[in-house]
Amino acid sequence: MRRCWGRNTRGHLYKTFLVAIVLVAMAATCGSATDPLADLKEGAAALEAKKYPAAIAALEPLVARLPKIGDYVAFFVASAKFESGDYAAVQKTLDPVFKMTPVSPLAPRAVLLVARAYGQSGDTKAALEILRRNYSTLPQPAGDLAMAEAFAAADDSISAVVYHQRVYFGYPMSAEAAQSDAELARLRTGLGEKYPPPMPNAMLGHAIKLMDAKQYAKARTELESLVPQLGGAEKDLARVRISVADYNARDTARAHSALASLEVSTPEADAERLHYLLLCAQRLKNQDEVQSTLERLGRLYPNSKWRLESLIASANHSLIENQMQAYEPIYRACYESFSQDVLAAGCHWKVTWGHYMRRQADAADMMRAHLRMFPGSEYAPAALYFLGRLSDPAGARAYYDEIVREYPNYYYTVIARERLKEIGNVVPSPKVNEFLRNNDFPQRSRTLNFQANATARARIERARLLASAGLDDWAVGELRYGAQNEDQPQVLAVELAALTTKTAGPDQAMRYIKRYAGSYLFLPMESAPAEFWKFAFPLPYRADLERFAKVNGLDPFLVAALIRQESEFNPKAVSRANARGLTQILPGTGRELSRKLKVRTYATASLFVPAVNLQLGTFYLKTIVDSLGGRWEAALAAYNAGPSRAKAWSSWGEFREPAEFIETVPFAETRNYIQTVLRNADTYRRIYAGEIRAGLGK
């Protein structure tokens, strides 16, 4: 047993009362067995409540008692000391943060805290030094704001302006931008003529970022104010972008009029002007102007990205109208003129698919050309599958084997597996296999290592300690830091999913899998742990989902697949169109369905109740399926894009199988939606088939 006696107690006689006092003190020191994680939770709560002396008293002893997360304890203590005005102690208190192994995620925040402490102490030189030394690691825009404040404290107003401008122009939607805007106004007044004007590209960048954030009115106002301050290419670009803001704000007539009369001398700005002029003409249904503008872009700026954008916009418009004679030459110009652009593959596939659906003799040659020209194309699985459909059994076997091997979790894999069952034990075609071997398909990782290495184990242990102390947000930050900066993001993604399933819900857990194990669709199911797949394809609200699927004669796996795509199982989800809940039902549709089903005490908020949403959503899905003759591919198209469109697309050809209808859908979003839901259903079936009761519907 460890002895707690101090050396000065040996060989000395004490009076009785003194001995008693010493024994009591020793008992308090050696006999206390408080839980350090409970103390950490208490200290963190005191810090959050701004009870700084209590936080320091509770936390300071824990730096030694919790060495594996000593950096977090030290950061909390330093924060409390800073708020208490003990600036001199901040840097020393933060030593465990800078010395932690593995690297502490708190290090950049610790640098900012030390710099603030130096600033409060009046040591602006030291503040600037530590910020400069660690600038590349600082979070932005907080880092630039700290630099600006440090320069201002050092009476270097010019440098302060430069860094405040970086914040204001570079991060216009941030809270720091508002601070910098106020400071820039004050500095502009104080410096007068010495005030350094912002660079034109920075001002333009600010307006463009506002446009990206859909702040079109603000962007327009800012661009108008910039025009007198700019010259040359920047001025031309600003003048064009004013009309772009109008176009994005749906003020099409105004944008069209301004663009038609606008004269600019810079080729890039003029190409952009013509592109948006074409979009305006398209929206105004002036097809003659669309064609003439497209021809002008081809003459004047044949290699401009704006010509490519215009080609695709014009061809897509004709595609939506099912006018192959109109769209084929435009798509062809796209992939012939811009063969190295990532958009070229889509253009080539649209032409190829048109030939296939019209049963033209060159369809197979075009599909093989697609695989040679664009081996990494998102349409490669489709090309492989339909080449199989055009081949004899031996050729089909080779193409389907390639899909199953290279795309284990794709829509076309699901149907390729079924085709392979029909073909049986046919020997794959050597000629097709040779073609596939000689094709330059991308090399993808087929397996990931889910055995944590030493660094990942340390991250997980630290995160679990933090979570045990009720510091879930800090635990998530620890794991995210490791996932973003170290070599086993997939391992930490599983841990993140496990943590956030309990705290934030399955939707957030799923997003961590998608973000940090993004290649999961290329992983064979047996190569990853079962928990990984269940986090990627969760099944919450299971009892209600099964119950209402059975009531409506629906496959529960397909219902789960649809929900995963619609809301990621977030019961509070609200779409841009105001659709709500698990199955994303519009309020008006919800009211109509609730009347049909005689749901008592229904209100719009009821759509956020999982059981109610599942009851309405499964019934609605069943009505759509029935209205389309039981064709699931058309029903899913209707669920995503509306029944009228699904019915119109159904008349576009004589579809020999569902995959042909799906590939014909002209909206990329809807096409991908149908394929993803059907793929998800198959994945759910493979994960949960042994757990869900049989006979719930086909």
Side-chain angles (χ1 to χ4, degrees):
M1 180 179 293
R2 181 172 65 87
R3 293 176 60 89
C4 292
W5 295 94
R7 294 175 183 173
N8 62 339
T9 64
R10 296 180 181 178
H12 292 275
L13 297 176
Y14 290 86
K15 293 182 180 180
T16 302
F17 74 92
L18 185 57
V19 171
I21 292 173
V22 171
L23 290 173
V24 170
M26 288 171 57
T29 302
C30 299
S32 63
T34 59
D35 179 358
L37 292 175
D39 292 345
L40 176 58
K41 184 176 183 179
E42 180 184 341
L47 176 61
E48 188 172 353
K50 301 183 179 181
K51 299 177 180 179
Y52 303 122
I56 294 168
L59 294 168
E60 207 157 27
L62 300 180
V63 176
R65 294 182 69 194
L66 293 169
K68 292 182 179 178
I69 52 172
D71 52 331
Y72 285 91
V73 180
F75 184 79
F76 296 156
V77 174
S79 299
K81 288 184 175 181
F82 177 90
E83 298 296 343
S84 300
D86 189 2
Y87 306 122
V90 169
Q91 182 173 23
K92 184 176 180 181
T93 303
L94 287 169
D95 277 350
V97 176
F98 300 118
K99 294 177 180 177
M100 178 57 64
T101 302
V103 174
S104 174
L106 300 175
R109 297 174 66 174
V111 169
L112 294 176
L113 186 58
V114 172
R116 289 178 63 204
Y118 280 139
Q120 292 293 330
S121 300
D123 193 348
T124 55
K125 182 178 179 181
L128 285 168
E129 173 59 27
I130 193 169
L131 290 171
R132 283 177 172 141
R133 192 168 64 245
N134 296 279
Y135 182 79
S136 63
T137 69
L138 298 180
Q140 295 296 355
D144 282 338
L145 183 61
M147 291 288 291
E149 291 172 342
F151 277 118
D155 293 326
D156 185 348
S157 296
I158 300 296
S159 296
V161 168
V162 170
Y163 279 93
H164 276 307
Q165 287 176 347
R166 289 188 184 184
V167 174
Y168 176 75
F169 291 112
Y171 307 90
M173 307 309 294
S174 68
E176 289 88 348
Q179 291 179 253
S180 288
D181 188 24
E183 283 301 305
L184 286 169
R186 185 184 64 80
L187 289 164
R188 189 182 295 107
T189 300
L191 287 169
E193 293 182 355
K194 295 181 180 179
Y195 182 85
M199 298 297 291
N201 60 347
M203 294 188 289
L204 271 177
H206 184 262
I208 292 168
K209 287 183 174 70
L210 289 174
M211 194 104 71
D212 292 341
K214 299 184 178 180
Q215 302 284 324
Y216 303 129
K218 287 184 179 180
R220 190 186 201 286
T221 299
E222 189 158 317
L223 287 164
E224 283 187 316
S225 68
L226 283 177
V227 168
Q229 306 175 50
L230 301 173
E234 287 85 3
K235 185 170 186 173
D236 281 348
L237 184 58
R239 294 168 69 204
V240 171
R241 293 288 169 88
I242 289 170
S243 295
V244 173
D246 289 334
Y247 173 82
N248 288 332
R250 310 288 304 183
D251 194 347
T252 310
R254 183 183 189 183
H256 180 268
S257 176
L259 289 167
S261 61
L262 182 62
E263 294 183 4
V264 291
S265 58
T266 310
E268 182 68 10
D270 194 41
E272 184 174 357
R273 178 187 73 84
L274 289 171
H275 169 66
Y276 278 96
L277 190 62
L278 179 145
L279 294 182
C280 288
Q282 200 168 71
R283 194 181 278 176
L284 296 169
K285 303 185 185 304
N286 188 338
Q287 193 57 36
D288 289 340
E289 185 178 0
V290 169
Q291 186 60 36
S292 65
T293 305
L294 198 60
E295 290 172 358
R296 189 174 180 188
L297 272 165
R299 289 196 312 272
L300 297 176
Y301 312 110
N303 300 316
S304 169
K305 68 174 183 178
W306 298 110
R307 181 189 174 220
L308 172 60
E309 295 282 353
S310 294
L311 285 168
I312 292 174
S314 179
N316 285 348
H317 183 77
S318 296
L319 176 70
I320 291 169
E321 300 296 326
N322 196 29
Q323 298 171 347
M324 184 177 174
Q325 289 184 334
Y327 71 67
E328 179 172 343
I330 306 175
Y331 280 133
R332 193 179 293 277
C334 161
Y335 68 76
E336 288 177 350
S337 299
F338 300 91
S339 60
Q340 301 305 307
D341 194 279
V342 294
L343 298 174
C347 296
H348 186 274
W349 180 250
K350 298 296 191 302
V351 176
T352 300
W353 186 247
H355 283 228
Y356 177 88
M357 281 305 299
R358 285 154 184 80
R359 315 304 174 188
Q360 295 181 9
D362 64 347
D365 290 336
M366 293 193 69
M367 287 182 178
R368 283 189 287 269
H370 187 84
L371 293 172
R372 284 193 300 268
M373 295 165 61
F374 311 104
S377 161
E378 66 174 288
Y379 305 97
L384 291 166
Y385 176 77
F386 288 105
L387 276 168
R389 297 294 284 142
L390 292 171
S391 300
D392 61 18
R397 174 95 202 184
Y399 285 121
Y400 298 153
D401 282 344
E402 180 77 8
I403 297 171
V404 171
R405 182 176 59 254
E406 295 297 313
Y407 305 92
N409 299 294
Y410 272 60
Y411 164 70
Y412 282 105
T413 312
V414 179
I415 52 178
R417 286 200 302 261
E418 295 302 314
R419 295 293 178 190
L420 285 169
K421 291 178 185 177
E422 297 172 4
I423 291 173
N425 296 322
V426 175
V427 176
S429 164
K431 183 178 179 181
V432 172
N433 275 340
E434 183 181 5
F435 164 73
L436 294 172
R437 280 196 305 271
N438 292 332
N439 214 56
D440 190 21
F441 290 113
Q443 294 298 310
R444 300 184 179 95
S445 175
R446 300 298 174 212
T447 60
L448 293 174
N449 180 11
F450 285 90
Q451 294 297 317
N453 59 26
T455 303
R457 285 198 303 272
R459 293 285 178 207
I460 291 170
E461 184 178 10
R462 282 159 55 81
R464 288 178 179 176
L465 286 169
L466 291 165
S468 296
L471 304 177
D472 291 336
D473 289 345
W474 298 93
V476 167
E478 175 72 26
L479 294 169
R480 289 184 63 184
Y481 179 87
Q484 291 165 6
N485 296 284
E486 292 160 358
D487 60 355
Q488 284 198 307
Q490 69 277 6
V491 172
L492 299 178
V494 173
E495 187 70 17
L496 273 164
L499 175 61
T500 52
T501 291
K502 300 173 185 176
T503 58
D507 55 313
Q508 182 59 63
M510 187 195 310
R511 284 193 287 274
Y512 283 134
I513 296 293
K514 289 180 178 180
R515 179 172 182 179
Y516 297 122
S519 63
Y520 71 100
L521 292 178
F522 295 104
L523 298 180
M525 191 158 287
E526 64 275 9
S527 71
E531 64 174 347
F532 173 86
W533 292 110
K534 288 190 174 183
F535 287 136
F537 294 86
L539 196 55
Y541 317 111
R542 184 165 170 173
D544 286 330
L545 188 153
E546 290 187 44
R547 176 162 60 96
F548 290 117
K550 182 177 182 180
V551 166
N552 290 287
L554 301 177
D555 178 353
F557 299 118
L558 203 145
V559 174
L562 180 140
I563 294 170
R564 184 185 188 269
Q565 193 64 12
E566 288 287 341
S567 65
E568 295 185 327
F569 283 97
N570 176 8
K572 303 296 184 184
V574 179
S575 75
R576 287 174 295 181
N578 202 30
R580 304 182 179 200
L582 294 175
T583 61
Q584 290 289 277
I585 298 174
L586 290 166
T589 304
R591 285 191 295 273
E592 181 183 346
L593 294 171
S594 68
R595 286 194 292 269
K596 288 182 179 179
L597 292 171
K598 299 180 180 179
V599 177
R600 296 181 180 179
T601 65
Y602 175 82
T604 299
S606 302
L607 293 174
F608 295 128
V609 178
V612 175
N613 193 284
L614 286 167
Q615 181 184 11
L616 301 181
T618 51
F619 177 76
Y620 180 53
L621 183 58
K622 175 63 173 174
T623 62
I624 292 176
V625 175
D626 290 345
S627 72
L628 291 163
R631 295 172 54 232
W632 270 102
E633 69 282 3
L636 292 172
Y639 204 95
N640 179 259
S644 61
R645 287 194 178 106
K647 290 176 181 176
W649 297 333
S650 296
S651 68
W652 280 16
E654 295 181 4
F655 304 115
R656 297 173 179 174
E657 58 180 300
E660 290 189 353
F661 168 83
I662 296 169
E663 203 60 50
T664 299
V665 169
F667 292 173
E669 177 188 331
T670 302
R671 167 188 171 274
N672 293 338
Y673 174 89
I674 303 167
Q675 291 188 3
T676 300
V677 171
L678 293 174
R679 176 209 74 199
N680 287 353
D682 178 75
T683 306
Y684 271 105
R685 192 170 292 110
R686 287 187 286 156
I687 296 171
Y688 296 99
E691 302 178 20
I692 290 186
R693 299 188 304 275
L696 292 180
K698 301 296 183 183

